[in-house]
Amino acid sequence: MELTPQQVFTRLGEAQIVDVRETEELIDGTIPGARHIPLGMIPESYAALDTRPVVVVCRSGRRSAAAAEHLVEAGFDAHTMTGGMVEWAAEGLPLVLPQLP
């Protein structure tokens, strides 16, 4: 299921946000409370997720759709955010800079 950035914003307290972009892409900011799991690490990161719905985000929405599909196949209630972080930022929704090592 696809959610708009506004729909994701209203669900921040009830869903797990997973950002599947590569580390260098996070410099532009991420959704407050999002967990960074690069797309290639999704299959081995299932144990890091709990039973809440998962909203997967990326830069524009393509990678997050692939990740959400993997998660659904693994039994998660997973969704993708349309337009990705490009749309999130364009709508003026809150961003935080990640704590990079």
Side-chain angles (χ1 to χ4, degrees), residues 1-85:
M1 179 170 135
E2 292 185 339
L3 299 172
T4 67
Q6 281 292 334
Q7 289 172 317
V8 172
F9 181 69
T10 64
R11 290 171 170 79
L12 286 183
E14 62 196 52
Q16 304 171 85
I17 311 297
V18 175
D19 192 324
V20 297
R21 294 178 294 166
E22 295 301 318
T23 302
E24 59 272 11
E25 294 178 275
L26 300 181
I27 195 76
D28 295 327
T30 191
I31 296 172
R35 176 182 302 216
H36 177 234
I37 305 174
L39 179 59
M41 303 288 288
I42 289 291
E44 57 221 50
S45 299
Y46 296 152
L49 302 172
D50 59 42
T51 58
R52 291 176 295 154
V54 180
V55 177
V56 188
V57 301
C58 66
R59 191 181 86 71
S60 65
R62 286 195 190 126
R63 286 176 284 178
S64 62
E69 189 174 311
H70 283 292
L71 290 166
V72 166
E73 289 171 3
F76 289 91
D77 177 13
H79 311 274
T80 187
M81 185 175 76
T82 59
M85 292 305 297

